[in-house]
Amino acid sequence: MGNGIDISERQFLQSHTPYKSLVGKYNRVLVVGGDEDKCRYVAQSYGFKDVVMPVDILRQVGSKIWPFNRYNQEELEKWGRTDLDINKPFDAVLVFCDPRDMGTDTQIVLDLLLSQNGQLGTRRANHEFSSKPAIPVHFSNNDLLWANNYSLPRFGQGAFRTMVQALYKESTKYELDCHIIGKPFHYTYQYADNLLKNWTKNGKDDLTVYMVGDNPASDIMGANNYGWKSMLVRTGVYRDEDRPNIVATPDYFFDNVLDAVNYAIDHNKSYII
Amino acid sequence: MGNGIDISERQFLQSHTPYKSLVGKYNRVLVVGGDEDKCRYVAQSYGFKDVVMPVDILRQVGSKIWPFNRYNQEELEKWGRTDLDINKPFDAVLVFCDPRDMGTDTQIVLDLLLSQNGQLGTRRANHEFSSKPAIPVHFSNNDLLWANNYSLPRFGQGAFRTMVQALYKESTKYELDCHIIGKPFHYTYQYADNLLKNWTKNGKDDLTVYMVGDNPASDIMGANNYGWKSMLVRTGVYRDEDRPNIVATPDYFFDNVLDAVNYAIDHNKSYII
């Protein structure tokens, strides 16, 4: 969210999505994204038992699976699993965060989506392809753009989703069915809403919730749809010149997060939890 | 082409395309793809005067332009230009070979296509977008797949083209107009045909040309369209189980390149040039 947020914080925020609910459903998962192999430990902390990352596959299968990969030997040895039985099929692809080595991640994700029942190194016959991939793919965040300290917003996980879907279509002629959680989808707001209600202890249903965000297409659209008050800040993806084409109009505009939070506090003094 | 061809040879084959004809047209070009900054020297050998690669931009602008880039400091210093005036606009994007750091290349290519007249760090207003990007983008090869020593074909430059077009559409709502040379397009075969005719010295027009290739969608389709004899080998992208869905049927099938070449020699002994 906006200028100045560092990548590790973004990764944390992105990763703490309701993937937990999938733990009982999938045994072996391909976990994609994030620095080093940090998302492996996030996935394991959710309860996933057999977590494989692209770096594990590269270490096991070798560079031939993606000759243009950008891992060196030291990184493969530091982050890559040694106990991987590559012949065991995968049950799902879970994208936790933005890919780092995007070429490697793209090739391996598509390999699994086009495979015979999640078995790496196999490929379905052309007549078996449909919109339903070999194994389900989940994305934890759909933002096309996010803002850092560069002068223009940068591509986010939504761009990776776009690329994966385009390659699936080019390979199979079908639109890829995929699961997307994160903003602006209802499920994510419901999850946060439940957390907030638990934190208030009394479990009251009449909370006024303010959503402060920099991205109209995710933060603001989701808040408006869910019935929260939406506050758009000017320190991130949104710029005032985008206003004529804004995809979701916020209840309030603010120059920065502090102004937004101060406004909410000032106007709700008797209700602060 | 096929199993066993090494990457540097592929890069050479891909790079020696008719980009030379664009030298007079463009001053500053973004050159994308290939190991290290090798394609810079290929572009310069064609006559391009101001060749910029993504690694130069990363070195100059810093990691903020793509925070997930996979270049280390040593590589930036070894391959990145130090004399780059970043405020001078770009005239075209030329993709020479498969990207190595795909995230970096994708972000920077899109930054230029969405810019105001090729000026890095700017972005057109939404109402200015159309299918025509800010500056032209050329791809030197359109193969979605190529074969190495992995059990299944790997994504090639055509996959990168697919990804760039998908992100352009997601960003602008328009289909991206791009220029593609390489197989199976006529221009590439004509270029090769002219070379062959020059090599025969007598410039005869009645050459029988055999095209040996592993990819029906590029090698074979192009040869059939151009009127050459086409020979499909089983050592690369094509597998016999693909035959029911083959997009271009060759004149001959062979197990490998040697068998194909021997056949052509045996049947044209009196014509060998």
Side-chain angles (χ1 to χ4, degrees):
Chain A
M1 186 190 71
N3 254 328
I5 196 161
D6 77 8
I7 290 169
S8 59
E9 188 176 356
R10 242 186 110 234
Q11 184 169 318
F12 175 87
L13 289 167
Q14 283 198 7
S15 299
H16 282 66
T17 48
Y19 274 161
K20 272 189 189 177
S21 63
L22 301 172
V23 167
K25 209 170 161 187
Y26 303 132
N27 187 350
R28 169 166 283 190
V29 290
L30 182 81
V31 164
V32 177
D35 287 328
E36 304 174 359
D37 66 337
K38 287 179 182 172
C39 285
R40 182 199 308 285
Y41 305 102
V42 179
Q44 286 172 343
S45 78
Y46 289 172
F48 289 105
K49 297 285 180 238
D50 188 1
V51 178
V52 183
M53 298 195 70
V55 67
D56 306 328
I57 294 173
L58 262 183
R59 180 173 188 173
Q60 190 86 357
V61 177
S63 267
K64 61 189 177 186
I65 197 166
W66 187 245
F68 310 130
N69 78 79
R70 297 283 298 159
Y71 289 94
N72 61 40
Q73 194 55 37
E74 191 190 328
E75 290 168 335
L76 290 178
E77 284 172 19
K78 207 155 101 192
W79 304 326
R81 272 176 65 173
T82 52
D83 64 336
L84 188 64
D85 172 11
I86 205 70
N87 295 318
K88 190 182 154 194
F90 288 75
D91 299 313
V93 174
L94 305 181
V95 182
F96 270 61
C97 196
D98 305 69
R100 299 306 192 262
D101 187 7
M102 197 180 282
T104 299
D105 290 2
T106 304
Q107 178 69 69
I108 290 177
V109 168
L110 265 295
D111 276 342
L112 288 179
L113 301 184
L114 301 173
S115 70
Q116 291 168 14
N117 306 312
Q119 177 61 61
L120 197 74
T122 66
R123 188 180 161 103
R124 284 171 153 177
N126 285 344
H127 69 268
E128 294 171 322
F129 287 128
S130 73
S131 286
K132 196 180 165 205
I135 56 173
V137 52
H138 297 256
F139 293 88
S140 66
N141 182 299
N142 201 42
D143 289 8
L144 180 68
L145 299 170
W146 63 288
N148 66 353
N149 56 343
Y150 186 64
S151 56
L152 293 169
R154 305 291 77 198
F155 283 127
Q157 204 192 109
F160 181 58
R161 195 257 309 146
T162 298
M163 289 155 69
V164 167
Q165 286 189 302
L167 287 176
Y168 189 84
K169 178 140 196 209
E170 195 76 14
S171 302
T172 68
K173 313 300 172 208
Y174 289 94
E175 301 289 343
L176 171 67
D177 286 343
C178 57
H179 305 272
I180 310 174
I181 54 176
K183 299 170 287 183
F185 299 103
H186 181 85
Y187 188 55
T188 298
Y189 285 80
Q190 195 173 41
Y191 177 82
D193 203 35
N194 288 339
L195 279 184
L196 286 170
K197 282 174 184 157
N198 285 340
W199 285 347
T200 63
K201 291 197 180 79
N202 58 15
K204 272 187 184 167
D205 278 348
D206 62 348
L207 287 177
T208 300
V209 180
Y210 292 86
M211 170 87 194
V212 186
D214 70 316
N215 190 335
S218 60
D219 307 323
I220 305 306
M221 185 181 286
N224 290 353
N225 289 345
Y226 197 76
W228 287 353
K229 300 278 185 199
S230 55
M231 298 176 143
L232 181 58
V233 294
R234 297 189 175 90
T235 48
V237 166
Y238 172 77
R239 307 167 305 170
D240 275 333
E241 55 260 47
D242 301 333
R243 187 140 181 195
N245 300 97
I246 199 162
V247 294
T249 305
D251 295 308
Y252 308 92
F253 288 86
F254 289 100
D255 283 343
N256 54 57
V257 175
L258 182 62
D259 287 357
V261 173
N262 279 338
Y263 180 94
I265 291 174
D266 287 347
H267 288 77
N268 293 276
K269 286 207 163 137
S270 56
Y271 304 104
I272 299 298
I273 55 175
Chain B
M1 185 189 73
N3 252 329
I5 196 162
D6 78 9
I7 291 169
S8 60
E9 187 175 357
R10 240 184 112 234
Q11 185 168 319
F12 175 87
L13 289 168
Q14 283 196 6
S15 297
H16 284 64
T17 49
Y19 273 160
K20 273 190 190 178
S21 64
L22 301 172
V23 167
K25 208 171 162 188
Y26 302 132
N27 186 349
R28 170 166 282 188
V29 290
L30 182 80
V31 164
V32 177
D35 286 328
E36 305 174 0
D37 66 339
K38 288 179 180 170
C39 285
R40 182 198 309 285
Y41 304 103
V42 179
Q44 288 172 344
S45 78
Y46 290 172
F48 289 104
K49 298 284 179 236
D50 188 2
V51 178
V52 183
M53 298 196 69
V55 67
D56 306 329
I57 294 174
L58 262 185
R59 181 173 187 176
Q60 189 86 354
V61 177
S63 266
K64 63 189 176 187
I65 197 166
W66 188 244
F68 310 130
N69 79 80
R70 297 283 298 159
Y71 290 95
N72 61 40
Q73 195 54 36
E74 190 189 330
E75 291 168 335
L76 290 178
E77 286 172 19
K78 207 157 101 193
W79 305 324
R81 273 175 64 173
T82 51
D83 63 337
L84 187 65
D85 172 10
I86 205 71
N87 294 317
K88 189 182 155 193
F90 287 76
D91 300 314
V93 174
L94 304 181
V95 181
F96 270 61
C97 195
D98 306 69
R100 299 305 192 262
D101 188 7
M102 196 179 283
T104 299
D105 291 0
T106 304
Q107 178 70 70
I108 290 177
V109 167
L110 265 296
D111 275 343
L112 288 179
L113 301 184
L114 302 173
S115 69
Q116 291 169 13
N117 307 312
Q119 178 61 61
L120 197 74
T122 67
R123 189 181 161 101
R124 285 173 150 174
N126 285 343
H127 70 268
E128 294 171 323
F129 287 129
S130 73
S131 286
K132 196 180 163 203
I135 56 173
V137 53
H138 296 257
F139 294 88
S140 66
N141 181 298
N142 200 40
D143 289 8
L144 180 68
L145 299 171
W146 62 288
N148 66 352
N149 58 342
Y150 187 63
S151 56
L152 294 169
R154 306 292 77 199
F155 282 126
Q157 205 193 109
F160 181 58
R161 195 259 308 148
T162 299
M163 289 155 69
V164 167
Q165 286 190 301
L167 288 176
Y168 190 84
K169 175 136 198 214
E170 195 77 12
S171 301
T172 68
K173 313 299 172 209
Y174 290 94
E175 301 289 343
L176 171 66
D177 285 343
C178 57
H179 305 273
I180 310 173
I181 53 176
K183 298 171 288 183
F185 299 102
H186 182 85
Y187 189 53
T188 299
Y189 286 80
Q190 195 172 40
Y191 177 82
D193 203 34
N194 288 339
L195 278 184
L196 285 171
K197 281 174 184 157
N198 285 339
W199 284 348
T200 62
K201 290 194 182 80
N202 56 15
K204 273 187 185 166
D205 278 349
D206 62 347
L207 287 177
T208 300
V209 180
Y210 291 86
M211 169 86 195
V212 186
D214 71 316
N215 190 336
S218 61
D219 306 323
I220 304 306
M221 185 182 288
N224 290 353
N225 290 345
Y226 197 76
W228 288 352
K229 300 278 185 202
S230 56
M231 298 177 141
L232 182 59
V233 295
R234 297 188 176 90
T235 49
V237 167
Y238 171 78
R239 307 168 304 172
D240 275 332
E241 54 262 46
D242 301 334
R243 186 141 183 193
N245 300 98
I246 201 162
V247 292
T249 304
D251 295 310
Y252 308 92
F253 288 86
F254 289 101
D255 282 344
N256 54 57
V257 175
L258 182 63
D259 287 356
V261 173
N262 279 337
Y263 180 94
I265 292 174
D266 287 347
H267 288 75
N268 293 276
K269 284 206 165 137
S270 55
Y271 306 102
I272 299 297
I273 55 178

